[in-house]
Amino acid sequence: MEENKVQEAPEKKLNFLEEIIEEDLASGKHKSIMTRFPPEPNGYLHIGHAKSICLNFGLAKKYGGKTNLRFDDTNPVKEDTEYVDSIKNDIKWLGFEWVNEFYASDYFDQLYEWAEELIKKGLAYVDDQTQEEIRIGRGSVSQPGKESPYRNRSVEENLQLFREMRDGKYADGEKVLRAKIDMAHPNMLFRDPLMYRIIHAEHHRTGNKWCIYPMYDYAHGECDSIEHITHSICTLEFDVHRPLYDWFIEKLGIFQSHQYEFARLNLTYTVMSKRKMLELVRNNYVDGWDDPRMPTICGLRRRGYTPESIRMFAEKVGVAKRDNIIDLSLLEWCLRDDLNRRANRYMAVLDPVKVIIDNWEDGKVEWFDAPMNPEDPDGPKRKVPFTKEAYIERADFMEDAPKKYFRLKPDGEVRFKYSYIVKCVSFKKDADGNVTEIHCTYDPTSKPGAGEWRSVKGTIHWVSSTESKKIKVNVFDRLFTEEQMGMLPEGVDYKDYLNPNSLEVRENCYAEPDLLKDNSGIAVQFERMGYFFFDPKSNGYNKATGLKDSFKL
Ligand code: ATP
Ligand code: MG
């Protein structure tokens, strides 16, 4: 029933990063490899970051190298230790270990010294222009930029002004430090890029020590170099930054790290920018960063995703050199594949209708054995109680059933999974025509293991109404209604595509009693219904994903 087939990839060949690394190791360019994962602590990690984590840590692991965790904390205004902690937690949960925990801010002194060195070499200057003047002065793709009137300050003057910037003499935006490269360069990033800006704000690690902060392009390559990162892997949009990354390293004559770019992960029906996710959280469109509908790692974890399934997903997605959008259903497939193997099974009825077994003695309870996981038939068993009254899914009974309907119908027979065959003898309806009660008789000779096995076409799940436990279930749909969320036209608000029905809470569900004793720590399978993971926050079970061939709730 839990059929879950996907086309297996043909025999795996090396991805382009593995090819580069194997070449570098074979040629002796590097004796061992060093990678890094460089999150900015300005939000929670999402599935796109997971891809990058699996790649950076995975490559190092495969080739006997090491990986640093480096927080790219160069913007004190947006960053916070809350994010630092969540990021570390998420990486560990995904199953990876870093050899060093570093912060770009650890290198502020070194970066500052190097900036002075570049000034002394005549390769950097202090500019007094406003942000707007600088922007206009840059020119455009078709037009060269204009040199700043402050560009030809003497080394002494630049040194003095830069030190005064550091010492807090100027207000935010009053001055910047720029690299002196070429205002007519075809790569706009080379038109005297900013190296430092003034921000009078408390930093979550360096406090008030600094009021000047390095820009990404100036800091990133140097941080990589300090840590002797051999392969600095980032997403495609940074390919135009690579020459600048190399320029700073070359001018300083320090260890040459190399940057390589791969396509960022995009998923259908999903937004993944931290800015947008922060907006969803702040405006209560979702229940926090770990809302089970969010593509964050903590959201996926709360939903019932396993680290194994996310790593499998990253592996299946592979490493592309061109942007593409991956189907969300691949992620779900990976989860099902993992849970099908490992999840304990229980029966739970999510839309109950009562069944009364007329020929069963009042108060009698009979216990049936059921495997915890049919993938492991000799493994542990659970006990399922059969009593006079039961619940079945409303959708498993049909009054005017077509011929091919093999679940319960008037005069029809079904097997209550793991127990007896029952036959519907009558039913009651309320004034609105809803079925309220179904009467059945059971066939005592149909007991599993007793005598000859009689088979009937339909088997349904059920729970005893008196021995079962009442549970709450949270059923999710996609957070957005549009498949191509990453391709919305200009000017369209992504929030217009929020799915108003992405959460359905079902208070009135019943599960077999052993469910409450489950201590597997992962999601369980409600037979025929899908995989569900207990969520202490809502005191309910989150539907992680369905079973492929199950009927819709
Ligand atoms: P966002 O755009 O969501 O804010 P970001 O790139 O600013 O993401 P960082 O914290 O700077 O977030 O990212 C850390 C690392 O994760 C970077 O190396 C970045 O390239 C990588 N990364 C971020 N998003 C993705 C993605 N969708 N797919 C693959 N890698 C990603
Ligand atoms: Mg970033």
Side-chain angles (χ1 to χ4, degrees):
M1 177 135 55
E2 305 101 41
E3 222 183 314
N4 195 24
K5 291 210 177 84
V6 95
Q7 204 79 34
E8 277 302 323
E11 204 170 310
K12 273 209 82 72
K13 55 187 223 320
L14 296 182
N15 66 48
F16 79 95
L17 290 167
E18 292 166 332
E19 274 173 13
I20 290 168
I21 290 171
E22 294 201 358
E23 256 174 55
D24 288 351
L25 289 172
S27 72
K29 182 175 172 188
H30 301 296
K31 286 208 180 57
S32 62
I33 71 156
M34 188 84 213
T35 62
R36 104 265 93 115
F37 176 65
E40 184 178 356
N42 64 348
Y44 283 67
L45 297 181
H46 52 59
I47 182 78
H49 293 115
K51 167 76 209 160
S52 171
I53 291 167
C54 291
L55 195 56
N56 279 296
F57 285 89
L59 285 170
K61 199 167 174 184
K62 174 164 182 188
Y63 293 104
K66 293 179 178 138
T67 306
N68 285 343
L69 169 61
R70 183 195 325 130
F71 289 100
D72 186 8
D73 57 347
T74 50
N75 185 353
V77 184
K78 290 193 195 154
E79 295 157 4
D80 198 274
T81 42
E82 174 198 346
Y83 301 130
V84 169
D85 295 341
S86 76
I87 289 170
K88 292 202 289 192
N89 187 36
D90 286 350
I91 300 172
K92 281 191 212 148
W93 179 77
L94 279 173
F96 296 107
E97 271 174 59
W98 51 90
V99 285
N100 299 295
E101 175 184 334
F102 289 137
Y103 293 78
S105 57
D106 296 339
Y107 312 130
F108 281 174
D109 286 298
Q110 176 68 78
L111 292 168
Y112 177 85
E113 265 174 50
W114 279 336
E116 284 208 355
E117 191 177 324
L118 292 174
I119 292 174
K120 287 174 194 159
K121 286 183 171 162
L123 294 172
Y125 64 97
V126 172
D127 195 347
D128 297 2
Q129 291 185 105
T130 63
Q131 210 181 345
E132 183 63 5
E133 286 166 340
I134 290 175
R135 194 185 58 77
I136 294 167
R138 274 240 160 85
S140 66
V141 189
S142 52
Q143 273 201 325
K146 250 185 31 218
E147 295 192 351
S148 161
Y150 305 96
R151 195 173 197 263
N152 294 313
R153 281 176 160 154
S154 67
V155 167
E156 290 67 35
E157 192 185 354
N158 278 320
L159 269 182
Q160 189 193 334
L161 291 172
F162 186 48
R163 287 172 186 165
E164 288 173 356
M165 279 170 64
R166 175 198 60 190
D167 295 340
K169 201 164 167 205
Y170 305 108
D172 289 10
E174 226 180 307
K175 289 186 175 13
V176 292
L177 184 72
R178 296 178 76 175
K180 191 170 177 178
I181 310 182
D182 178 0
M183 288 306 289
H185 202 286
N187 181 342
M188 298 270 294
L189 292 171
F190 273 73
R191 296 183 187 175
D192 293 5
L194 263 55
M195 291 168 59
Y196 273 90
R197 72 261 204 237
I198 300 171
I199 305 175
H200 287 273
E202 187 164 314
H203 186 279
H204 68 105
R205 283 178 71 84
T206 56
N208 293 306
K209 179 173 176 195
W210 296 92
C211 62
I212 54 171
Y213 290 92
M215 304 295 293
Y216 176 90
D217 279 329
Y218 173 63
H220 204 87
E222 280 91 314
C223 292
D224 283 345
S225 175
I226 292 170
E227 296 176 14
H228 281 229
I229 302 300
T230 54
H231 299 81
S232 174
I233 301 161
C234 63
T235 42
L236 274 187
E237 66 274 19
F238 287 97
D239 69 339
V240 290
H241 296 248
R242 189 184 344 108
L244 189 53
Y245 176 103
D246 291 338
W247 189 88
F248 282 117
I249 286 178
E250 188 209 312
K251 295 298 173 204
L252 290 166
I254 55 180
F255 177 85
Q256 179 70 62
S257 297
H258 284 278
Q259 177 187 302
Y260 302 95
E261 307 88 20
F262 74 102
R264 65 192 296 124
L265 172 72
N266 297 298
L267 268 186
T268 54
Y269 300 102
T270 309
V271 300
M272 262 197 273
S273 103
K274 280 189 258 183
R275 182 182 61 75
K276 288 176 185 162
M277 293 194 305
L278 186 63
E279 190 181 12
L280 293 175
V281 171
R282 291 236 165 109
N283 298 313
N284 299 316
Y285 290 106
V286 293
D287 169 32
W289 286 97
D290 67 349
D291 186 298
R293 294 163 294 180
M294 289 279 270
T296 48
I297 313 250
C298 53
L300 293 168
R301 176 166 63 232
R302 189 173 159 201
R303 174 86 173 242
Y305 273 80
T306 57
E308 289 81 355
S309 63
I310 295 176
R311 294 200 302 261
M312 189 197 310
F313 172 72
E315 180 69 27
K316 288 211 178 286
V317 165
V319 185
K321 273 229 133 212
R322 230 186 275 147
D323 276 319
N324 57 358
I325 302 184
I326 304 290
D327 209 313
L328 185 57
S329 58
L330 179 62
L331 183 60
E332 292 165 355
W333 183 90
C334 292
L335 180 62
R336 274 199 296 272
D337 187 67
D338 183 32
L339 290 178
N340 179 44
R341 247 174 287 144
R342 302 197 290 142
N344 286 336
R345 270 60 167 175
Y346 298 97
M347 291 193 286
V349 172
L350 308 190
D351 183 13
V353 60
K354 189 166 269 183
V355 175
I356 296 159
I357 314 289
D358 289 340
N359 57 343
W360 190 267
E361 221 175 285
D362 264 340
K364 179 178 164 192
V365 184
E366 183 170 353
W367 296 86
F368 287 91
D369 272 344
M372 288 307 282
N373 186 338
E375 301 284 304
D376 179 17
D378 301 326
K381 301 257 187 300
R382 63 192 210 261
K383 294 270 184 208
V384 182
F386 188 97
T387 56
K388 188 170 181 74
E389 292 188 1
Y391 290 121
I392 64 167
E393 297 294 342
R394 190 161 286 281
D396 279 341
F397 176 79
M398 213 169 172
E399 182 181 351
D400 296 309
K403 242 185 140 181
K404 292 252 153 149
Y405 185 87
F406 297 124
R407 291 172 267 156
L408 199 58
K409 55 190 169 190
D411 285 327
E413 282 187 319
V414 288
R415 185 176 290 276
F416 272 18
K417 199 164 184 190
Y418 307 119
S419 71
Y420 295 107
I421 292 172
V422 305
K423 178 177 185 176
C424 170
V425 290
S426 66
F427 61 95
K428 290 186 184 151
K429 289 202 281 192
D430 64 14
D432 300 328
N434 300 312
V435 174
T436 52
E437 205 172 279
I438 301 165
H439 285 262
C440 293
T441 53
Y442 83 105
D443 171 4
T445 69
S446 64
K447 183 173 171 167
E452 211 171 310
W453 177 261
R454 180 157 80 84
S455 73
V456 282
K457 282 253 165 75
T459 299
I460 61 174
H461 66 279
W462 55 281
V463 295
S464 155
S465 73
T466 42
E467 297 292 319
S468 61
K469 304 289 178 191
K470 192 169 179 186
I471 58 168
K472 179 166 104 174
V473 165
N474 306 313
V475 180
F476 306 103
D477 197 354
R478 293 173 171 146
L479 190 52
F480 294 96
T481 54
E482 166 60 41
E483 186 178 30
Q484 309 286 323
M485 284 304 289
M487 316 260 267
L488 296 181
E490 280 293 318
V492 168
D493 186 352
Y494 72 98
K495 294 192 293 307
D496 292 347
Y497 295 91
L498 275 164
N499 177 2
N501 303 314
S502 59
L503 169 62
E504 185 196 345
V505 179
R506 293 180 171 234
E507 301 278 356
N508 210 22
C509 309
Y510 295 88
E512 59 178 88
D514 276 3
L515 171 68
L516 300 198
K517 294 190 222 144
D518 188 274
N519 57 8
S520 62
I522 59 172
V524 298
Q525 186 190 105
F526 289 166
E527 300 198 40
R528 298 178 67 230
M529 304 306 282
Y531 294 98
F532 294 78
F533 189 49
F534 183 67
D535 175 33
K537 264 198 179 170
S538 67
N539 197 28
Y541 284 81
N542 287 334
K543 183 170 182 183
T545 182
L547 304 168
K548 196 179 172 198
D549 290 334
S550 69
F551 58 96
K552 230 177 133 40
L553 263 180

